[in-house]
Amino acid sequence: MSNVKYNYVIAEDESLIRRNLVKKLEALDLPLQKAGEAANGEEAIQLIERYCPQLVITDIRMPLRDGLEVVKYLYDNHPGTKVIILSGYDDFSYAQKAIRYSVEDYLLKPVSRDTLAESILKLLITLENESGRLNIYTTKHTSLSPEALSQLVQQYLLENYQQEISFQELGEKFGFTPEYLGKIFKKYAGETPSKYLTKLRMNEAKRLLIHEPGMEIQKIGELVGYKDGFYFSRVFKSYTGMQPSEFRGRNMGM
């Protein structure tokens, strides 16, 4: 595993819950490092300014400043920081406000270890994609359900479809054989990882062909994960029944 660690801050006014969350995170054996703990929103903002963490996990209901005020502060001042909101109140209005500030996830307390693990793993995939790093971490230390594992693979493909993807390496990354991942993914997603990846790439290629008329077809192929322009055209024709240039000509002006 890489030595890179992602710093996080936890903001939760109930000390027992806060300590329990830290223990659960430490037990996941993932590239995370605690920067600090806050008992209220004001302390959270001070820690954020001091450590500039990549992740903040915050409760909604806290003294001095509540979780949504912390989230808004991050949105206005630290837009690159990822946020997970915790709440004991199943109130849709909170979720609506959280979405407005680009929150990564919204978890209801009490948060199980599996739910926390799934949320953190999805976030790590996003962070690694943004940073360009390829840390190797696996889910073998968690007890994620097969459905949750399928969702993580889907998240990885969504974040990385523009890159070259080896399903052998994908299996190694998640700590399972490619055959097992393929079986689980097909059961819950309804198609193989390979077909899902091709669908993502082709849908993005179609969007670019229609809405970026000045972009070269080879460049579009590169942007959706195909360095070889001829191979991209062959896959595109197999998927749509048309060459990329023919598809673009038929859909100009849409």
Side-chain angles (χ1 to χ4, degrees), residues 192-227:
T192 65
S194 179
K195 286 187 177 180
Y196 179 71
L197 177 61
T198 300
K199 180 175 69 177
L200 288 177
R201 289 172 166 174
M202 293 300 101
N203 285 342
E204 177 63 6
K206 288 191 286 185
R207 187 188 71 81
L208 291 171
L209 286 165
I210 292 171
H211 298 293
E212 300 292 342
M215 186 177 291
E216 294 181 359
I217 289 174
Q218 182 170 342
K219 180 62 176 177
I220 290 174
E222 291 175 2
L223 290 176
V224 299
Y226 298 99
K227 291 185 177 181

Side-chain angles (χ1 to χ4, degrees), residues 149-150 153 167 170-171 176-194:
L149 179 59
S150 173
V153 173
F167 288 102
L170 186 64
F176 297 95
T177 67
E179 292 77 16
Y180 177 77
L181 286 183
K183 180 180 178 180
I184 291 300
F185 190 87
K186 186 173 183 180
K187 178 178 179 180
Y188 292 99
E191 56 192 333
T192 65
S194 179

